[in-house]
Amino acid sequence: QVQLVESGGGSVQAGGSLRLACATGGVRYANTCLGWFRQAPGKEREGVASLYIGAGDRYYADSVKGRFTISRDNAKNTLFLQMNRLKPEDTAMYYCAATISPGSGYCSLVDMYESWGQGTQVTVSA
């Protein structure tokens, strides 16, 4: 059974950085998508970044390309999201998610994900 626990959220001024972590207990297979998603009040949940364990393929939303980096520490079974040059529009609840997938092309699709963490709040002030 997959258990996901996020940490690392907080409040920061625009231009600052945060690093989110997600303990990905129970993730064992190479054909797995791991992703970061976010949801701001009154908005739908959207994909931020994802990776496919087997091939190492990564996906980034256009809004975060060049600023955010997704990575995984295999030994510690932990997923990270390094967020640099944060903007007020990055303010949201951030969620870690995982799912078995036949390929990396599905990793950006929020509806594909079966396991979710409880979320961690990121607040960026102007």
Side-chain angles (χ1 to χ4, degrees), residues 1-125:
Q1 184 176 357
V2 173
Q3 291 186 323
L4 307 174
V5 181
E6 302 97 335
S7 61
S11 297
V12 66
Q13 288 190 327
S17 298
L18 283 173
R19 189 191 196 200
L20 305 183
C22 175
T24 56
V27 172
R28 296 184 177 88
Y29 305 111
N31 58 336
T32 299
C33 292
L34 295 173
W36 288 99
F37 297 82
R38 66 187 181 187
Q39 188 166 19
K43 294 188 177 181
E44 292 186 355
R45 192 169 296 188
E46 63 175 358
V48 175
S50 60
L51 65 83
Y52 191 64
I53 293 177
D57 295 346
R58 286 163 169 77
Y59 159 84
Y60 294 95
D62 288 342
S63 58
V64 307
K65 280 181 182 176
R67 300 188 298 122
F68 291 11
T69 303
I70 188 171
S71 63
R72 184 171 185 255
D73 185 326
N74 293 328
K76 296 182 178 179
N77 217 3
T78 302
L79 182 72
F80 297 99
L81 184 68
Q82 177 66 44
M83 305 186 295
N84 298 328
R85 292 184 281 133
L86 283 160
K87 304 176 181 180
E89 51 264 43
D90 294 319
T91 295
M93 185 72 79
Y94 282 70
Y95 298 90
C96 170
T99 189
I100 299 294
S101 175
S104 61
Y106 301 92
C107 291
S108 63
L109 304 176
V110 61
D111 292 339
M112 281 289 295
Y113 285 79
E114 298 174 331
S115 301
W116 292 85
Q118 82 288 352
T120 185
Q121 178 68 36
V122 171
T123 302
V124 184
S125 58

